[in-house]
Amino acid sequence: MRANPKLEPVADLNASDLTTAAGNRIALGLESRAQAPENIGGQSAVLFLPSTPRSVVHSFRGAPSLSRSWKSTSNRHAVAVVVSVLALAAAPARLSAQSVQPPTPAASAQAPPPAEALRVTRDDAIRLALENNPDLAVSEFDPAISETDVAAARGAFMPTLDSVLLHNSQQQPPTNLFAGTQGIQTNLWSTSVAMNQLVPWGGARYSVGWESSRSTTDSLITSFDPSLASRLQLTFSQPLLRNFKIDLERATLDVSRRNVEIADTRLRETRVTTKADAERAYWAFVAAQAFVDVQQRSLDLALELERTNRARVDVGQSPPLDLVAARAEVAQRRENLIVARTVARQAEDVLRTVILDPRRDDYWTIRLEPADRVPTVGAPPDIEAAVGRALSERTDLTRVRKEIQNTETNISLSRSEVLPDLRVEATYLTDAAGGTRLIREGGFPGTVVGRQTTGYGSVLGQLFTADYPTWTLGLAFSYPLGRSTAQANLARARIERDQATARLKTSEIAAVREVRQAAWRVEQNQERIETTRLGRELAEQRLDAEQKRFEVGMSTSFLVIQAQRDLAIARNNELQALLDYQLAAVAFEAVQQAATR
């Protein structure tokens, strides 16, 4: 019975038959490819494989003696070696024609210039992210805004200077005997300067003021025309109960200062997050490029198996199904490589958006090249030390503690407002007068017979020597009857403090749990690195053994493909373990300083 034409057996070949077959192969003008040395039947030879399996079949049909069946497997191996050697000897010119030629200058000139590359290390990525991150730039304004609140609160204790310059002209109608028939005309010029301040301790308030005036009048009963007057006054008020230890202004200042510290913790938290994001993006990009290399190596293995199976099928040593399976595996691994390259591009864009300034002209075109390829594996984490550091330094815990301090300030203020308002009030003033005195004689109002002038300098002398002093000292008391607003505010402040304290306990428990879990992930991935490295080495050994078995006919193409897949999976697992370890180390460092997202 005649065999399948594509699988016609070959046996009992002599030298002339092999020469004819080889000559027919070259006469057909079919393209050949030089392959890597293959071990077939225990012999090593370089195969020239046709681009179509049918070419060699036709060549075999050209020899009449190739129509008989092979008698044994060893004969088939021997014939394959001889055919390969003769084909190699008969077609040296074709080998030269198929070698890769360098591109011509014209072709090189037409190729687009490669994009500029920016080589970055891990430290460079962190530095660039801290310099160019827009969220961080926004957060840096918060402490400055809070500082302005402190300045505004401190302004309540700044002294205030008041000054008034006044001119008053008054014409009174003739409503009495002394107003005459035309009424009374009075002109007044006055000025005053005063300074008052709320003292930042004890709740005291003081005021110092000086007044001076000059007036003229045509009244019949005046004694000075013009008249000069001056006054120096000092007032002081000191609370004894309410507002003594704390008042609204001091409470506002304390709260605003803590709000600056809270804003600083938010900025520090943003810095920690930005740094962690930059590290994650950097190592993810490194891992994505490594995954591309793994997929490329996996594809190379599949192509090598395809070439081997093609050679075996061409010489009739393997069924065509082995070649179909190898080609299907090549297609699958090409797809995996395409996907890996796309993932690498996406990872590059993620890193780009994290570390680069978007105002760069080459923001989207510059290529990023990581300089740190293999992350270092550190010592196992110290969980107890990490928990202690997190409880003392974590920004979210610091922020809650500051909020509790703010509620304590509100409680103190409310307690002060509940107390009676008892304060000491003191006033001291001195007056002086002068001008032109009218000397009168006779009955009331008398006749002006002379004038005596007292200058402004004499007036000031009276003022500062306290010739006419006045002082007052007293106590002022005030207390609301019934439940006041201050008592309701005090109850609210206490509830808010209890709420913030409970929130702090919850946050501390969450922080300890997050630190412990992060440490366990670091330990887990450290162990995974060792196991996946061992798995990859064993997979390489298994593939090597399976290929050697396949070359001597003791294994199948399916088992080789499976071993290649297992090696690719083992390499991916090792890379994933390294990436997971690095990400876990980044998270472990960040979780000690700030809350995780």
Side-chain angles (χ1 to χ4, degrees), residues 21 73 125 155 173 177 183 214 300 357 375 384 417 492 500 559:
T73 304
L177 177 65
R214 181 183 185 277
D300 293 341
D357 186 355
E384 296 301 326
E417 294 293 336
R492 178 185 178 87
L559 294 178

Side-chain angles (χ1 to χ4, degrees), residues 417-532:
E417 294 293 336
V418 170
L419 298 175
D421 185 10
L422 177 64
R423 61 183 62 231
V424 176
E425 301 283 354
T427 303
Y428 181 84
L429 61 88
T430 176
D431 289 318
T436 301
R437 181 181 180 185
L438 302 179
I439 302 175
R440 299 176 183 272
E441 291 183 354
F444 181 80
T447 303
V448 177
V449 296
R451 298 175 182 274
Q452 183 179 357
T453 302
T454 302
Y456 189 68
S458 299
V459 173
L460 293 180
Q462 298 173 27
L463 183 69
F464 291 110
T465 56
D467 292 348
Y468 307 99
T470 301
W471 59 269
T472 59
L473 180 65
L475 291 175
F477 180 82
S478 174
Y479 185 75
L481 300 177
R483 185 175 176 85
S484 64
T485 303
Q487 291 174 326
N489 292 337
L490 176 59
R492 178 185 178 87
R494 286 172 174 169
I495 295 174
E496 290 177 345
R497 179 195 57 188
D498 296 340
Q499 182 186 41
T501 303
R503 186 185 304 117
L504 175 60
K505 293 180 180 179
T506 303
S507 300
E508 287 177 344
I509 293 174
V512 173
R513 184 181 66 251
E514 291 173 1
V515 171
R516 288 167 61 87
Q517 291 178 350
W520 291 338
R521 283 192 293 269
V522 172
E523 292 177 350
Q524 166 191 290
N525 291 312
Q526 281 180 330
E527 296 175 358
R528 283 180 58 205
I529 290 174
E530 297 300 326
T531 56
T532 55

